[in-house]
Amino acid sequence: MTGSKPSLELLRSVPVLADLEDSALEWFLEHGEYREYAAGETLVEQGSPADRMVFVLAGRFEFHFPGQAEPLRVEAGAVTGLLPFSRMTQFTGSARASEPVKALLVYKPEFMPMLSAIPELGPRLVGILTDRVRVWSQSELRQEKLMSLGKLSAGLAHELNNPASAAKRSAAGLLESFGDLERAAARVGEKLGAGVLEGLLDYLQTLQPRPMSAMARADLEEEIGGWLETQGNPKAWEWASTWADAGASVAWLEGLHTLKTGIPKEAMPEVLGWLEASIRVRGLVGVVQDSTERISGLVKAIKSYTYMDQMPKQEIDVREGLDNTLAIFGYKLKKGIALERDYDPNLPKLEANGAELNQVWTNLIDNALDAMNGSGTLRVRAVREGDSLLVEIGDSGPGIPPEVVGKIFDPFFTTKEVGKGTGLGLETARRIVEAHKGSIRVESKPGDTRFQVRLPLSPPA
């Protein structure tokens, strides 16, 4: 609602106006626009031109920004909107009154006349602008770190879950399999001597697992299961997969009859049971070992990724940082994404904040993977280029539209759906790279998008 004018006392409820002369406050009554908003009413829409400064005289409203769960609350007494000397061109969020609001609007064409008529107001508004920039920078950094942490946690949880689950299942299976092995060994020991047992163990060592297609494996299991049935084995089809995994064949199993030590025909079921239990136990132990090694490797990668317990700035190997970051995204790389690495083997080390640069690689790789939507080629390149180190992250996605390329490093600009991006990732990457005295640029066309980061090998004095 517009029309009536606020009192001078209401204007003085805004701290920056409180001590101004009546004549200065009357300037606002003459050149400003007084507005009243009902609860729930929209003050500004996201994307609309930033063309006004807002003095909040009473009430409260909230700014809602894409990707941020919590709104920014603006109380009575605040000065917000476009401020003099600000480079903001459009509102990056929408504002709605959470209770009835009274506000005085001063539009951009009136800024210079206002500062000329009320010169003491200039330093105060510059101070508000400076505070706002500092608060927003801190908020952006926190938000982007939370986003990076979320990506990191999701990837790490996914990567750890598989080996941890496999180790858990195998450990449970080991208890049962050890019992089977002990019982089978007791039965075999009753019928065979020590020499035969040693011969069986030696023969077992000749087995070697071999790669095969799913169809070939199914045929092999069928053959082994049929042979085991002829030996009077009640678990023939249950054991067939164990023998196939171990690399056995019907010919290998037939070889048990021709061992020099000799195996009585009546003892063959017990011998096969003992050997199968032994193979099963060894396989489960192997799974536990492989799983725990994968978990250990991931923990090592995450410690290296975050440079835990290390100085913030030191000599780093960028190739290690890239590989550690790729390890975090391992779960995405398994879903139809081909990875191509091109590292200079003689790449010199770089004096930098490794954890911050890893945040850059995280943002660039995550964007590349999102652009390909589960299918394509991710290209990671690190080479020397004169006195600089070039890191290039490329993807085979659809590319960035020409009209968007110039905006991608702007704060809050995002092409992702609401809730999936904050528009801070590339802006944060740019800020980190520039803090290292480097540069970041993009080249894009359909099927070939490349983000190029150049960092000086010798920091300028």
Side-chain angles (χ1 to χ4, degrees):
M1 182 183 73
T2 59
S4 60
K5 294 184 178 182
S7 65
L8 297 185
E9 288 71 21
L10 186 57
L11 289 178
R12 283 199 168 92
S13 65
V14 180
V16 297
L17 306 179
D19 62 346
L20 296 181
E21 299 289 339
D22 288 354
S23 58
L25 297 178
E26 288 168 355
W27 184 96
F28 286 103
L29 298 180
E30 183 179 349
H31 296 88
E33 178 184 322
Y34 177 65
R35 293 289 302 271
E36 293 184 2
Y37 301 88
E41 188 175 351
T42 298
L43 281 73
V44 296
E45 291 283 1
Q46 180 186 343
S48 62
D51 59 357
R52 75 207 74 166
M53 178 167 51
V54 181
F55 294 87
V56 186
L57 306 178
R60 175 197 300 164
F61 64 88
E62 297 178 342
F63 263 110
H64 296 265
F65 297 97
Q68 290 193 9
E70 291 296 321
L72 173 66
R73 294 175 176 83
V74 181
E75 307 278 352
V79 183
T80 187
L82 179 69
L83 296 176
F85 313 112
S86 171
R87 292 182 293 178
M88 183 169 65
T89 58
Q90 62 181 22
F91 290 108
T92 55
S94 58
R96 291 180 178 80
S98 52
E99 59 184 59
V101 170
K102 296 179 181 180
L104 182 76
L105 313 182
V106 178
Y107 286 87
K108 188 175 181 180
E110 300 290 348
F111 284 2
M112 288 302 105
M114 174 189 68
L115 296 177
S116 177
I118 316 171
E120 62 267 40
L121 197 57
R124 300 178 187 184
L125 296 177
V126 169
I128 293 174
L129 178 62
T130 303
D131 290 342
R132 185 164 74 179
V133 169
R134 183 177 65 251
V135 170
W136 272 113
S137 296
Q138 292 171 346
S139 175
E140 288 175 27
L141 187 57
R142 283 195 300 270
Q143 183 71 11
E144 184 54 33
K145 284 184 175 179
L146 285 173
M147 290 289 290
S148 296
L149 182 60
K151 297 169 188 174
L152 184 66
S153 300
L156 188 60
H158 193 285
E159 286 296 288
L160 286 173
N161 182 63
N162 289 340
S165 297
K168 183 179 179 181
R169 288 193 304 269
S170 298
L174 272 173
L175 294 175
E176 180 181 349
S177 296
F178 266 123
D180 293 342
L181 182 61
E182 289 170 345
R183 288 187 292 273
R187 289 193 295 269
V188 171
E190 291 177 359
K191 297 187 176 183
L192 302 177
V196 177
L197 290 176
E198 290 176 5
L200 285 171
L201 290 173
D202 290 341
Y203 189 56
L204 191 60
Q205 299 302 318
T206 64
L207 281 181
Q208 290 294 333
R210 57 186 186 276
M212 65 184 75
S213 67
M215 185 173 294
R217 177 186 164 79
D219 290 342
L220 179 59
E221 286 191 28
E222 183 78 18
E223 293 174 7
I224 292 175
W227 186 86
L228 290 173
E229 270 193 329
T230 65
Q231 303 299 307
N233 193 318
K235 295 184 178 180
W237 300 104
E238 182 181 335
W239 288 1
S241 62
T242 303
W243 288 108
D245 287 341
S249 64
V250 170
W252 187 92
L253 291 166
E254 289 281 4
L256 289 169
H257 292 296
T258 60
L259 289 180
K260 293 180 181 179
T261 49
I263 300 174
K265 185 176 181 179
E266 63 273 12
M268 187 59 72
E270 284 79 10
V271 169
L272 290 172
W274 174 56
L275 292 176
E276 190 276 340
S278 179
I279 291 171
R280 187 159 22 108
V281 167
R282 293 183 186 190
L284 291 171
V285 169
V287 171
V288 171
Q289 184 178 16
D290 290 344
S291 299
T292 52
E293 285 178 357
R294 284 180 60 193
I295 292 172
S296 177
L298 284 167
V299 171
K300 182 179 179 181
I302 198 66
K303 287 184 69 175
S304 297
Y305 175 89
T306 58
Y307 285 81
M308 190 182 299
D309 302 327
Q310 298 183 42
M311 293 290 291
K313 198 168 186 179
Q314 57 182 291
E315 281 197 340
I316 65 167
D317 187 335
V318 168
R319 295 167 298 186
E320 290 183 3
L322 289 167
D323 284 341
N324 288 330
T325 305
L326 289 169
I328 304 304
F329 285 103
Y331 71 107
K332 283 190 175 182
L333 296 174
K334 297 173 184 175
K335 300 179 180 178
I337 300 294
L339 173 62
E340 295 180 0
R341 289 183 177 94
D342 180 13
Y343 296 161
D344 181 350
N346 300 314
L347 197 66
K349 290 189 175 183
L350 182 72
E351 185 179 341
N353 186 314
E356 288 188 354
L357 288 183
N358 284 348
Q359 189 176 351
V360 174
W361 316 143
T362 298
N363 289 331
L364 296 182
I365 291 172
D366 186 58
N367 284 346
L369 293 172
D370 283 348
M372 291 184 285
N373 196 26
S375 178
T377 301
L378 175 68
R379 296 178 293 272
V380 182
R381 183 167 169 251
V383 296
R384 181 166 186 163
E385 191 181 72
D387 293 331
S388 297
L389 186 149
L390 168 65
V391 174
E392 189 174 77
I393 310 294
D395 68 74
S396 60
I400 304 172
E403 64 273 15
V404 170
V405 170
K407 304 177 182 179
I408 58 175
F409 293 107
D410 292 348
F412 302 110
F413 179 82
T414 179
T415 57
K416 297 180 181 179
E417 299 175 12
V418 175
K420 290 189 176 180
T422 62
L424 299 175
L426 290 177
E427 196 275 336
T428 300
R430 177 193 60 77
R431 195 163 60 237
I432 291 173
V433 170
E434 290 180 354
H436 284 79
K437 312 302 181 185
S439 65
I440 181 171
R441 62 189 297 267
V442 63
E443 296 178 356
S444 183
K445 60 183 180 181
D448 186 11
T449 297
R450 306 179 188 186
F451 280 88
Q452 298 172 333
V453 176
R454 288 176 171 85
L455 299 165
L457 290 170
S458 299

